[in-house]
Amino acid sequence: MKKRVLALLLCVSTAISMTGCGSKGESVEATEAVENTESTEEVPAVPLAQYDLKGSDYVTLCDYSAIPVTISGDYDVTDQDVLDYVEKIFTQGGPFYTADPDKTTVEEGDIVNVDYVGKLDGEAFSGGTAEDQNIDVSNNSSASGSGFIDGFTDGLIGASVGDVIDSNVTFPDEYPNNPDLAGKEVVFTFTVNSIQKEVTMDTMDDEFASKQFGADSVDGVYKQVRQYLESSAESTHKNDIYSALEDYLLENCTVDMPADYRSDVIEAIRANFIDRYCSGDESQMETVLSSYGYTEESIEQEWSDSVESSIKLELIVKAIAEKEDIQIDDTEFEDYVSTIVSSGGYGDADTLYSNYGYGDSVYGKNQIRVIYLAGLVLDKLAETAEVTENAVEENTESVESTESADSTEE
């Protein structure tokens, strides 16, 4: 439920990294554009930790006791939705395979499940051993699409399930993956576990459902999908309401923008960008920005607009929390931070705080607390919001066209 809040309060992060929020979005192109520069001119950091402003000092609140909210969306999950999603799993995640008990001899075109060990002069070599691998013997590749060296699968044709066979294979003269094997003849010992058959959504059984999806049965797969879709629909429903609540607050509350705070955040964003993408060399900024289709003027306008909305919402949230005596439980906040750190791959909380504070971890922690507080505030406002849900209009044009065509044929 805090996803929308995170996006709006920290929307400037996208503009900073160009490719997404935070330091993990660094661009290869940006790095390549400046890697040969010799300048080490430093851009001074702006101390943002000083800005822990009291919302009521800057905000005249609107009446938020019963905010009118209108949302449009399809939040119901039908049986067809579930079927379509399972089909999507098989189409995009597959092909899936299972052992075919009726086949015992490997033929052209078969998918074979094997274990193998590659040996050079009788010794297993690094990277040459694998288990439970599905191999397309005709295309000399794994069933997932990656290829093998020429001749790798030749010895499997004609083998039977349960056989252990040796196959002589010669590596190409140029083999950059492992130069020590280039041009060498090796022996791959294969254990043929089974010959596979493709499984579709219509042919999967309970055993496959358990092995592939961790479900207790085929029905369990459909149950899991329904639960996922219903959870996603509920999340979308909440986010749509919260998004509308935020828009209402921004449009109807009056904020006396603290100009120094606004300008210092923009300067911090700029300094952070120069440090991370221009190797600290401000003269490289124009070159780096142009590779993304920006000019200094356009990116600074984007930063300015983002900061304006972000600060306004921050102060409104604080003002409402103060008026309604909404407090942050420190233990619950720490759990929230731990979840972000884990799911975002930040390593630790300090890295997260520094990332969202443009290098100032104290300010970053304050900002994460505002995000969490905003979630609490919106939870409360949603309880009394007057929500109107507009049904999604069906597109009848294609139906009418079909009916017209049918009547013509008759």
Side-chain angles (χ1 to χ4, degrees):
M1 66 183 173
K2 298 181 179 67
K3 183 188 294 184
R4 160 71 179 181
V5 183
L6 180 65
L8 184 49
L9 280 174
L10 297 180
C11 59
V12 289
S13 295
T14 302
I16 297 168
S17 67
M18 297 299 203
T19 58
C21 292
S23 60
K24 297 186 295 302
E26 289 193 11
S27 161
V28 174
E29 291 85 353
T31 302
E32 291 176 347
V34 298
E35 63 183 358
N36 294 322
T37 62
E38 297 180 0
S39 173
T40 58
E41 178 184 353
E42 295 184 359
V43 179
V46 178
L48 295 176
Q50 60 181 309
Y51 294 109
D52 189 8
L53 306 180
K54 188 176 181 180
S56 58
D57 291 342
Y58 300 90
V59 178
T60 301
L61 290 170
C62 61
D63 180 6
Y64 55 80
S65 60
I67 295 177
V69 168
T70 300
I71 58 175
S72 300
D74 186 359
Y75 308 110
D76 294 326
V77 176
T78 66
D79 290 343
Q80 188 61 49
D81 292 332
V82 175
L83 287 171
D84 290 345
Y85 197 86
V86 174
E87 183 178 11
K88 180 180 178 181
I89 291 174
F90 276 83
T91 300
Q92 298 183 1
F96 298 110
Y97 297 98
T98 192
D100 185 347
D102 297 327
K103 289 209 66 173
T104 58
T105 302
V106 180
E107 299 175 329
E108 291 282 353
D110 282 342
I111 305 295
V112 185
N113 184 274
V114 299
D115 305 333
Y116 60 81
V117 178
K119 299 176 183 178
L120 175 64
D121 298 329
E123 297 290 332
F125 54 83
S126 176
T129 300
E131 296 180 349
D132 193 27
Q133 299 294 299
N134 284 341
I135 294 178
D136 183 342
V137 296
S138 295
N139 292 314
N140 195 44
S141 66
S142 71
S144 61
S146 59
F148 299 106
I149 60 176
D150 288 344
F152 180 74
T153 60
D154 290 353
L156 291 172
I157 304 295
S160 298
V161 173
D163 283 353
V164 178
I165 63 170
D166 287 336
S167 181
N168 295 325
V169 179
T170 301
F171 277 87
D173 291 336
E174 294 185 7
Y175 189 66
N177 293 339
N178 188 343
D180 292 339
L181 295 174
K184 301 291 181 62
E185 183 176 308
V186 302
V187 176
F188 279 98
T189 300
F190 291 94
T191 300
V192 182
N193 299 320
S194 63
I195 300 170
Q196 302 283 290
K197 62 179 179 179
E198 186 172 355
V199 180
T200 67
M201 62 182 290
D202 296 322
T203 62
M204 69 170 163
D205 55 21
D206 291 347
E207 182 180 357
F208 178 83
S210 175
K211 180 179 179 181
Q212 186 66 44
F213 302 113
D216 56 5
S217 63
V218 172
D219 288 342
V221 173
Y222 288 88
K223 182 179 179 180
Q224 286 181 356
V225 168
R226 177 173 290 278
Q227 289 173 340
Y228 167 74
L229 292 177
E230 288 177 346
S231 176
S232 296
E234 181 181 358
S235 177
T236 300
H237 183 259
K238 284 186 176 182
N239 282 332
D240 287 350
I241 292 174
Y242 286 16
S243 173
L245 290 172
E246 291 172 3
D247 291 342
Y248 184 90
L249 294 174
L250 287 168
E251 291 171 5
N252 293 278
C253 295
T254 301
V255 180
D256 182 13
M257 177 62 63
D260 52 349
Y261 181 27
R262 179 180 175 277
S263 61
D264 281 354
V265 171
I266 294 173
E267 179 56 31
I269 292 171
R270 188 173 188 276
N272 188 268
F273 182 89
I274 292 170
D275 182 58
R276 282 165 44 188
Y277 297 106
C278 307
S279 299
D281 182 0
E282 187 172 2
S283 69
Q284 293 295 316
M285 188 172 179
E286 183 177 356
T287 301
V288 173
L289 287 171
S290 65
S291 67
Y292 295 98
Y294 283 95
T295 64
E296 290 194 46
E297 292 75 16
S298 65
I299 194 64
E300 288 179 359
Q301 183 61 55
E302 188 168 311
W303 290 340
S304 177
D305 293 343
S306 297
V307 168
E308 185 95 9
S309 296
S310 182
I311 291 177
K312 282 183 178 180
L313 186 57
E314 173 186 346
L315 295 172
I316 292 170
V317 162
K318 287 182 174 181
I320 296 176
E322 181 184 347
K323 183 175 180 179
E324 299 294 333
D325 193 27
I326 299 174
Q327 305 288 335
I328 294 177
D329 181 285
D330 287 338
T331 300
E332 292 178 356
F333 175 71
E334 289 175 4
D335 291 341
Y336 173 69
V337 170
S338 295
T339 299
I340 298 177
V341 169
S342 176
S343 62
Y346 289 100
D348 55 43
D350 284 341
T351 302
L352 170 70
Y353 297 149
S354 179
N355 186 77
Y356 283 115
Y358 319 118
D360 186 333
S361 60
V362 175
Y363 175 70
K365 183 175 182 178
N366 288 342
Q367 287 300 94
I368 298 296
R369 287 182 69 86
V370 170
I371 293 167
Y372 187 79
L373 183 64
L376 300 179
V377 167
L378 292 177
D379 285 344
K380 183 173 182 63
L381 298 186
E383 293 175 0
T384 57
E386 297 179 348
V387 180
T388 300
E389 295 188 20
N390 289 337
V392 178
E393 295 183 3
E394 293 185 6
N395 184 0
T396 59
E397 183 177 333
S398 59
V399 175
E400 293 172 352
S401 298
T402 302
E403 291 176 346
S404 175
D406 289 342
S407 63
T408 302
E409 290 175 0
E410 291 174 355

